[in-house]
Amino acid sequence: MPVQPLPLGFVFRSRAKDEKAPADKTAVDLSKQPRDPQAPKGRPTPKRSEAQSQRRSVAHTPTTRKEAAKRQREERRQALERQRQALASGDERYLPARDKGPVRKFARAWVDSRFNVAEFFLPLAVVILVLSVVQVPAIQSIALLLWLVVIVLIVVDAAISGFRLKKRLKERFPDESTRGAVAYALLRSLQMRRLRLPKPQVKRGERP
């Protein structure tokens, strides 16, 4: 059979041209596709405020363990400072968890609006201790009697206060949990008024 000669162009054709042709064709096809006018870069352009917030978050992100620890200390210091100011002003947003809520706020106001025997315990204790060190049997007996009287008065006053406060809480907050509020108020009554935290927000005799 006679052999048909092959064209030289088929044998020696450049492979690079064959590989490049589909890519060029694909690029041409993609360039002909319509682009979204809202996304000239192939993705939605972020708003200016979003871009600024992203840049700030990236700039403030700690890159090392030392920077992360420093940032945590600073955040803790700021939180404690806000809490200290809240204890002085009564700002509910930054108060500790044990002081938050309308029930605890009412309990504090109820205690601060009245005189409590327990708040005078420290000054009375100083007076009784001074009397007890005097080397006179009669004065020492008086000091011991005063101890007993003060303790009995504190217990009786705490019992009456707890009963009355519990009743007021049920009337004021019938649908809320008042668990622990009475004990919270009694512990507050043991402190002198000027040393209480959060600071008293009502005056003596003022109805909470």
Side-chain angles (χ1 to χ4, degrees), residues 27-57:
V28 172
D29 293 340
L30 291 175
S31 64
K32 291 181 180 179
Q33 293 180 356
R35 299 180 64 86
D36 185 2
Q38 299 295 332
K41 296 181 181 179
R43 62 183 182 275
T45 303
K47 296 181 181 179
R48 184 175 181 181
S49 59
E50 295 177 355
Q52 290 177 351
S53 63
Q54 290 176 359
R55 286 196 296 268
R56 284 196 297 266
S57 62

Side-chain angles (χ1 to χ4, degrees), residues 162-182:
F163 177 78
R164 293 176 59 189
L165 177 59
K166 188 175 181 179
K167 184 178 179 181
R168 289 291 306 277
L169 288 173
K170 287 183 177 180
E171 295 174 354
R172 189 72 174 266
F173 307 97
D175 300 328
E176 296 188 30
S177 175
T178 59
R179 183 178 180 181
V182 174

Side-chain angles (χ1 to χ4, degrees), residues 10-196:
F10 176 78
V11 178
F12 296 102
R13 185 169 53 184
S14 174
R15 184 177 296 176
K17 293 181 179 180
D18 294 341
E19 296 175 353
K20 186 177 181 182
D24 295 341
K25 186 177 181 181
T26 304
V28 172
D29 293 340
L30 291 175
S31 64
K32 291 181 180 179
Q33 293 180 356
R35 299 180 64 86
D36 185 2
Q38 299 295 332
K41 296 181 181 179
R43 62 183 182 275
T45 303
K47 296 181 181 179
R48 184 175 181 181
S49 59
E50 295 177 355
Q52 290 177 351
S53 63
Q54 290 176 359
R55 286 196 296 268
R56 284 196 297 266
S57 62
V58 172
H60 293 289
T61 301
T63 56
T64 63
R65 183 180 298 178
K66 185 176 180 180
E67 291 180 357
K70 182 178 179 181
R71 183 174 180 179
Q72 290 179 354
R73 288 195 301 269
E74 180 64 20
E75 292 176 351
R76 191 181 303 112
R77 186 190 66 79
Q78 292 177 358
L80 290 175
E81 179 62 21
R82 288 194 299 266
Q83 189 178 103
R84 185 188 66 80
Q85 294 177 359
L87 289 172
S89 62
D91 191 348
E92 287 281 335
R93 295 174 299 171
Y94 304 113
L95 286 176
R98 65 182 180 84
D99 298 314
K100 283 186 176 180
V103 175
R104 298 298 175 95
K105 183 178 181 180
F106 179 83
R108 291 196 302 271
W110 192 86
V111 171
D112 297 336
S113 65
R114 60 191 301 273
F115 287 95
N116 304 277
V117 178
E119 67 180 290
F120 301 105
F121 174 76
L122 287 179
L124 289 174
V126 172
V127 174
I128 294 172
L129 286 175
V130 171
L131 293 177
S132 63
V133 297
V134 177
Q135 299 299 323
V136 177
I139 295 179
Q140 291 180 348
S141 299
I142 293 174
L144 180 60
L145 181 61
L146 285 176
W147 271 121
L148 296 176
V149 172
V150 169
I151 292 174
V152 170
L153 288 177
I154 290 175
V155 172
V156 172
D157 183 64
I160 296 174
S161 299
F163 177 78
R164 293 176 59 189
L165 177 59
K166 188 175 181 179
K167 184 178 179 181
R168 289 291 306 277
L169 288 173
K170 287 183 177 180
E171 295 174 354
R172 189 72 174 266
F173 307 97
D175 300 328
E176 296 188 30
S177 175
T178 59
R179 183 178 180 181
V182 174
Y184 172 79
L186 293 179
L187 287 175
R188 183 176 178 85
S189 67
L190 292 172
Q191 303 171 349
M192 297 179 65
R193 182 181 173 86
R194 66 178 61 184
L195 301 179
R196 292 172 184 171

